[in-house]
């Protein structure tokens, strides 16, 4: 494996009106790994995801993806570059059906609709539409979504909504998938099913950066664990080392 | 087949449907415009000045729509970054600026307007344009662009994170709306045969906005129904004489209470 990480975050700082949310945070994510990011509530995990996906501009530090500097790019450009995410608070598009939500994820990879497709669409012969529909169905299958695909997402359980959101992110064919607490609200069976799905996603050559409070899931799944506490990185390394780190035990694991 | 009264009613109804579509398209991206009368004026004047120079009607109409779209994009580029009430105020101001501009444009007849416009708009022309625009809007729902527009309306942050270019999507929606208003203006000018800046003022813009509020903005049928109610109902209610407008006001208030999403095409609630 090459030494250069897929994602390289260096010295990132974010403040919210004087409150330091991230302080000199550095983190390297190796290609094709499952990398977990853990830490207590309010540690800054979601903020770091927002920085990596371009929704929050860091005040200091730099971001590199495949050794290419991308600090300051817009979120849509970052998605095209190959980083996709879900949201801790599910943000599906309510007026679109389940399948249409996932189709939006495909947009950046679709060819333009030709005039022919535009005219013949009502006869069911729009190639771009068919392509997007097939790909979206494939992604819903991958995340083992079994519900109705034509209904609005609001009719689905929260667990299913999380699956749909992961499918939507996967539809953009990302090299790096950011998952923010995907197992929140899942029972143990659903959580272990999700673990399998995440392994499957990695098996497809993708890299996963995972924020999760379910420590059992994290330590069985991750190749690498980074611990964030009060905006600072306090430990990073293989799960076995992080698990026994005294600073981590005091700041996080001890009080779980 | 039609007497001239029915015919002119049908033509003005068709033009109103187009104005309703011109509000509907940007509104599906969350952009509320109270300045569509301004774009209608641009389309009306542009096409009328062109047909006066013997440019073919279809070409003149297209040119009016194109100029309106271009100006729409220029106006919207700074304005769509702001949302909600501020965009409404910006479009309102735009409508007024266009009106005052045409009052001061000597070659366009100034305040006394342009007369002697050639009678090129026929009922079938209006019907054709309405169907064309309506079908395009209907088809939009299943296109990448249409889904992107809806996604932007629902959640800008999530849309952007899913790779949708926010500014480009909004400009297409707003420019498209301006183009449709420009088409409506061109058809209007060549039917009314006389135009002046006052015909395209605030009341025109507010009326177009009303069509969509009344009919609903969930699909293109809403604006059509809204335009139908506002255009045709006053004619049907002639027997009420002076009470006509009062009846209309009551209808609107009733609508706001019982069908706040519009008569036929309510958007599903925008929350999970
Ligand atoms: N937009 C914002 N404005 C002000 N403060 C914010 C904002 N976003 C986050 N914060 C604060 O920054 C800190 C880090 O928040 P963040 O959401 O990144 O934490 P987290 O590690 O994801 O926590 P959780 O496990 O609860 O999701 C919190 O104290 C939060 O209140
Ligand atoms: Mg969080």
């Amino acid at each position: 494996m090459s030494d250069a990480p897929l994602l390289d975050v260096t010295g990132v700082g974010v403040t919210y009106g004087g409150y330091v949310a991230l302080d000199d945070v550095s983190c390297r994510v190796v290609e094709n790994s499952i990398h977990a990011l853990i830490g207590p509530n309010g540690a800054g995990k979601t903020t770091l995801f927002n920085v990596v996906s371009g929704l929050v501009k860091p005040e200091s530090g730099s971001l590199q993806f495949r050794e290419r500097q991308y600090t300051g790019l817009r979120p849509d450009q970052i998605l095209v570059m190959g980083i996709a995410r879900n949201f801790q608070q599910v943000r599906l598009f309510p007026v679109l059906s389940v399948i249409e939500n996932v189709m939006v994820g495909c947009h950046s990879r679709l060819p333009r609709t030709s005039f022919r497709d535009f005219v013949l669409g009502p006869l069911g012969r729009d190639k771009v539409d068919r392509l997007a529909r097939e790909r979206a169905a494939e992604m819903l299958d991958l995340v083992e979504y079994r519900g109705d695909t034509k209904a609005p997402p609001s009719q689905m359980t929260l667990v299913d909504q999380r699956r749909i959101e992961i499918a939507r992110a996967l539809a953009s064919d990302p090299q790096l998938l950011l998952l923010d607490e995907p197992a929140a609200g899942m029972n143990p069976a659903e959580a272990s099913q999700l673990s399998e799905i995440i392994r499957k996603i990695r098996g497809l050559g993708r890299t996963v950066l995972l924020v999760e409070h379910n420590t059992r899931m994290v330590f069985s799944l991750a190749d690498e664990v980074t611990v964030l506490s009060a905006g600072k990185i306090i430990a990073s390394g293989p799960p076995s080392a992080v698990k026994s780190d005294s600073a981590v035990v005091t700041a996080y694991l001890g009080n779980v | 087949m039609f007497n001239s009264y029915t015919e002119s009613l049908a033509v003005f109804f068709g033009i109103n449907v187009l104005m309703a579509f011109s509000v509907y398209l940007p509104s599906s991206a969350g952009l509320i415009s109270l300045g569509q009368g301004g774009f209608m004026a641009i389309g009306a004047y542009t096409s009328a000045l062109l047909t006066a120079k013997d440019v073919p009607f279809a070409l003149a109409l297209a040119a009016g729509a194109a100029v309106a779209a271009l100006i729409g994009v220029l106006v919207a580029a700074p304005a769509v970054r702001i949302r909600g009430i501020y965009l409404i105020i910006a479009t309102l101001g735009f409508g007024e600026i266009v009106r005052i501009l045409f009052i001061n444009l000597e070659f366009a007849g100034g305040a006394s307007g342009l007369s002697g416009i050639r009678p090129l708009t026929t009922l079938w022309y209006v019907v054709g344009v309405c169907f064309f625009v309506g079908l395009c809007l209907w088809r939009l729902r299943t296109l990448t662009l249409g889904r992107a527009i809806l996604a932007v309306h629902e959640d800008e942050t999530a849309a952007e994170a899913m790779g949708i270019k926010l500014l480009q999507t909004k400009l297409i929606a707003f420019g498209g709306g301006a183009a449709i208003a420009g088409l409506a203006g061109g058809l209007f000018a060549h039917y009314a045969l006389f135009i002046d800046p006052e015909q395209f003022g605030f009341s025109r813009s507010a009326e177009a906005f009303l069509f969509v509020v009344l009919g609903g903005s969930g699909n293109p049928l809403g604006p059509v129904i809204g335009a139908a109610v506002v255009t045709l109902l006053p004619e049907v209610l002639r027997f009420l004489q002076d009470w006509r407008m009062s009846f209309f006001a009551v209808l609107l208030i009733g609508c706001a209470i019982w069908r706040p999403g519009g008569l036929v095409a309510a958007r599903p609630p925008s929350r999970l």
Side-chain angles (χ1 to χ4, degrees):
Chain A
M1 254 197 189
S2 81
D3 293 16
L6 179 67
L7 174 74
D8 196 348
V9 176
T10 341
V12 161
V14 172
T15 58
Y16 290 115
Y19 176 82
V20 181
L22 289 179
D23 180 13
D24 192 23
V25 166
S26 299
C27 175
R28 312 171 114 224
V29 178
V30 176
E31 179 151 20
N32 207 10
S33 66
I34 297 177
H35 191 129
L37 179 64
I38 61 172
N41 290 114
K45 304 177 298 292
T46 299
T47 305
L48 185 58
F49 268 25
N50 288 343
V51 168
V52 171
S53 59
L55 294 179
V56 166
K57 305 267 174 273
E59 282 133 52
S60 57
S62 81
L63 305 164
Q64 277 188 21
F65 187 70
R66 295 195 168 285
E67 297 180 71
R68 181 184 154 222
Q69 172 88 19
Y70 77 91
T71 330
L73 285 193
R74 290 193 314 266
D76 57 280
Q77 297 170 311
I78 293 173
L79 180 105
V80 171
M81 199 176 71
I83 302 179
R85 65 172 292 169
N86 75 339
F87 291 91
Q88 187 176 348
Q89 312 272 261
V90 176
R91 298 182 84 153
L92 291 165
F93 306 114
V95 298
L96 299 181
S97 66
V98 168
I99 190 111
E100 285 173 326
N101 264 278
V102 182
M103 285 163 83
V104 170
C106 307
H107 280 189
S108 60
R109 305 290 173 219
L110 288 176
R112 271 180 186 284
T113 303
S114 65
F115 180 71
R116 185 189 162 282
D117 286 350
F118 181 81
V119 175
L120 295 183
L123 306 173
R125 295 177 58 189
D126 181 339
K127 281 197 216 115
V128 178
D129 188 63
R130 181 147 27 96
L131 209 68
R133 233 164 251 283
E134 282 169 6
R135 185 167 173 77
E138 218 173 283
M139 295 303 126
L140 285 168
D141 218 39
L142 180 64
V143 300
E144 295 173 24
Y145 173 79
R146 300 275 176 261
D148 184 359
T149 58
K150 295 207 172 73
S154 55
Q155 292 179 8
M156 306 306 154
T157 62
L158 186 62
V159 170
D160 267 343
Q161 291 183 16
R162 289 195 192 286
R163 290 199 183 100
I164 298 164
E165 234 194 19
I166 297 172
R168 183 177 71 177
L170 282 171
S172 70
D173 195 17
Q175 282 152 14
L176 176 62
L177 178 65
L178 310 177
L179 294 181
D180 199 347
E181 303 199 18
M186 288 189 179
N187 63 36
E190 287 163 340
S192 72
Q193 186 194 17
L194 179 69
S195 291
E196 279 319 304
I197 292 169
I198 293 175
R199 284 206 185 89
K200 221 165 31 170
I201 291 169
R202 191 253 302 268
L204 294 169
R206 306 188 200 282
T207 308
V208 178
L209 180 57
L210 171 72
V211 167
E212 192 44 70
H213 281 300
N214 183 337
T215 42
R216 181 135 48 92
M217 182 174 162
V218 163
F219 285 110
S220 69
L221 199 58
D223 307 305
E224 187 85 8
V225 178
T226 296
V227 188
L228 197 59
S229 176
K232 287 194 176 71
I233 304 276
I234 58 167
S236 195
S240 53
V242 169
K243 213 189 262 184
S244 51
D245 186 301
S246 64
V248 176
V249 172
T250 340
Y252 183 52
L253 297 178
N255 52 34
V256 167
Chain B
M1 180 160 65
F2 290 119
N3 64 38
S4 65
Y5 165 74
T6 349
E7 193 202 87
S8 75
L9 195 61
V11 166
F12 288 123
F13 168 53
I15 287 166
N16 281 346
V17 166
L18 288 174
M19 287 307 287
F21 283 155
S22 92
V23 173
Y24 164 80
L25 179 55
S27 85
S28 35
L31 305 171
I32 304 299
S33 172
L34 271 179
Q36 297 307 88
F39 296 116
M40 188 184 186
I42 292 168
Y45 275 96
T46 306
S47 60
L49 291 169
L50 285 175
T51 51
K53 298 245 178 317
D54 289 328
V55 174
F57 185 42
L59 207 62
L61 273 184
V67 174
L70 185 72
I71 293 174
V73 168
L74 290 178
V75 170
V80 296
R81 289 172 203 275
I82 55 180
R83 266 180 84 84
I85 189 88
Y86 299 103
L87 178 67
I88 297 178
I89 292 168
T91 54
L92 218 148
F94 167 77
E96 278 306 284
I97 290 170
V98 170
R99 192 177 63 86
I100 291 163
L101 187 79
F102 278 117
I103 289 177
N104 289 293
L105 277 185
E106 283 313 317
F107 71 89
S112 49
L114 269 184
S115 53
I117 301 171
R118 291 165 55 199
L120 298 170
T121 298
T122 62
L123 177 59
W124 299 116
Y125 224 109
V126 175
V127 170
V129 173
C130 278
F131 264 92
F132 174 73
V133 174
L135 286 176
C136 284
L137 291 176
W138 195 272
R139 188 74 184 86
L140 195 59
R141 182 66 164 77
T142 59
L143 298 184
T144 322
L145 177 63
R147 276 192 304 269
I149 286 175
L150 290 176
V152 167
H153 180 274
E154 294 299 291
D155 187 335
E156 288 195 6
T157 305
E160 203 179 16
M162 288 325 299
I164 291 169
K165 298 188 183 78
L166 279 189
L167 185 63
Q168 182 186 316
T169 307
K170 287 178 173 185
L171 289 184
I172 291 174
F174 198 87
I180 299 171
L183 274 179
L187 291 170
F188 176 81
H190 295 84
Y191 193 80
L193 312 184
F194 164 76
I195 52 175
D196 72 31
E198 300 308 324
Q199 292 170 326
F200 308 105
F202 175 68
S203 58
R204 179 74 72 177
S205 302
E207 192 185 53
F209 177 69
L210 180 68
F211 299 149
V212 177
V213 174
L214 198 61
S217 57
N219 63 51
L221 197 60
V224 176
I225 299 297
V229 170
V230 180
T231 319
L232 306 178
L233 207 55
E235 303 300 323
V236 179
L237 296 175
R238 263 178 200 285
F239 68 91
L240 288 176
Q241 296 176 358
D242 289 350
W243 291 95
R244 209 150 52 128
M245 291 327 276
S246 315
F247 175 86
F248 205 54
V250 170
L251 178 80
L252 270 180
I253 294 167
C255 212
I257 296 171
W258 288 295
R259 295 197 68 93
L263 287 174
V264 292
R267 262 172 187 279
S270 208
R271 222 149 286 121
L272 277 176

